[in-house]
Amino acid sequence: MTIAALPEHNSIANPLWLKLFHGYRHVIAPLRHNGWPTDIEIDGGENRIRADLGDGTELIIASVHALPLDPNEVTGWSVLRLDIEDEARHTVLYDSTPDGAQSRHRNSLIPLFARIDGLDAPKPTNRLIVSATYTSPSGVKDYQAADSETPGAAVARYFEWSQLLVAAEGYQHVWEQPEADGYPLARFERDGHITTVRVTRSDD
């Protein structure tokens, strides 16, 4: 498994940084699984995600303005690709905020990472699959979300599927595998039904 290391700086003990880094894990983790060191900037209230692509450029991810403290308040994603040496040289990569070119996608992760994964930037070549097992009193059903994907796209799909289970289907998130133990894996429960969502290598 390839995943970029966690940030190391003085802000990691800052309660605001910790709140944002955990709250936006569904965006940060896919970027890190692409091998890109990723951090939250909180200077001057301009909360935003910054990912180093390893080729002299970086991604800056925010919303209409700065990222809100509550990720549920995000109405869309704004993504810039900047030249690290000259931030005046930048490209608007994606904009799903209400007035943006991709506004129809709002805060969905899957189209966001489809665009990001199309970048010509260093990233792992392994392919991953997202799947789920639904267990109920009537039996067990297995589902696979899509064909194999890049690590970033697959981990984004894992988070979006997990969010759908909680927000739309009434499940409770009861357990998640620690990051150091392998690819994302989580268990959800609802009235005697258990669903497990996982990310695995396509050749497993």
Side-chain angles (χ1 to χ4, degrees), residues 97-108:
T97 62
D99 294 325
Q102 291 81 32
S103 60
R104 64 191 182 280
H105 296 311
R106 297 178 61 83
N107 61 356
S108 177

Side-chain angles (χ1 to χ4, degrees), residues 25 158-159 162 165-166 171-189 194-199:
R25 191 169 63 99
Y158 160 86
F159 278 109
S162 298
L165 286 170
V166 174
Y171 280 82
Q172 288 189 326
H173 184 191
V174 296
W175 177 82
E176 188 164 20
Q177 175 169 265
E179 181 178 278
D181 291 351
Y183 289 115
L185 171 67
R187 184 172 297 122
F188 303 82
E189 294 183 359
I194 299 172
T195 297
T196 302
V197 183
R198 65 184 70 79
V199 177

Side-chain angles (χ1 to χ4, degrees), residues 148-169:
S148 64
E149 301 175 285
T150 62
V155 175
R157 189 178 296 277
Y158 160 86
F159 278 109
E160 190 138 299
W161 198 339
S162 298
Q163 184 180 31
L164 179 66
L165 286 170
V166 174
E169 299 186 29

Side-chain angles (χ1 to χ4, degrees), residues 21 71 109 114 128 180 184:
F21 194 84
L109 295 180
L128 304 179

